Amino acid sequence: QVRLVESGGGLVQPGGSLRLSCAASGTIFNLSTVDWYRQAPGKERELVAVITSGGSTIYTDSVKGRFTISRENSKNTVFLQMNILKPEDTGVYYCHLRYFSIDAWGQGTQVTVSS
């Protein structure tokens, strides 16, 4: 069983930065694709960024050039560096891991961008 724990959320002013972390338990981390999703109030959960086991990355258009997803396999951790934050980036950010039949979610971390 895989357990994911997110951290790093908080309140930041527009234009600011935050770095989210997702720490995973288990031995399959290095083989897994890991995603970051977010859910704004009253909206559906949306995919923000993906990183494969080989390090390939994909971003939703609204965060390209501002967000960077990365992974440190030695620490079983995935990061989401978020720069030039906008109020529309506000939401709960969730880490998600996929590996064959394994589909694990973290509890989420709140990101609020407001002046």
Side-chain angles (χ1 to χ4, degrees):
Q1 188 164 352
V2 176
R3 182 168 177 259
L4 303 175
V5 179
E6 301 101 332
S7 61
L11 173 64
V12 63
Q13 291 187 344
S17 298
L18 283 174
R19 188 192 196 203
L20 305 184
S21 298
C22 171
S25 63
T27 59
I28 62 165
F29 177 80
N30 293 2
L31 304 175
S32 305
T33 292
V34 180
D35 317 312
W36 283 99
Y37 282 76
R38 67 185 177 192
Q39 188 165 20
K43 294 188 176 181
E44 293 188 355
R45 193 173 295 189
E46 66 167 344
L47 179 64
V48 175
V50 179
I51 187 164
T52 68
S53 57
S56 297
T57 58
I58 302 171
Y59 300 92
T60 191
D61 285 347
S62 62
V63 307
K64 284 180 182 177
R66 300 188 297 122
F67 290 13
T68 302
I69 188 171
S70 61
R71 65 192 301 159
E72 191 166 343
N73 289 338
S74 63
K75 296 183 177 180
N76 273 21
T77 302
V78 167
F79 303 98
L80 185 67
Q81 178 67 44
M82 306 186 295
N83 298 327
I84 316 175
L85 282 161
K86 304 175 181 181
E88 51 263 43
D89 295 318
T90 294
V92 179
Y93 282 69
Y94 297 91
C95 182
H96 174 240
L97 181 147
R98 293 178 279 134
Y99 181 73
F100 289 101
S101 62
I102 296 174
D103 191 300
W105 291 89
Q107 83 289 349
T109 185
Q110 176 70 45
V111 172
T112 303
V113 184
S114 175
S115 55

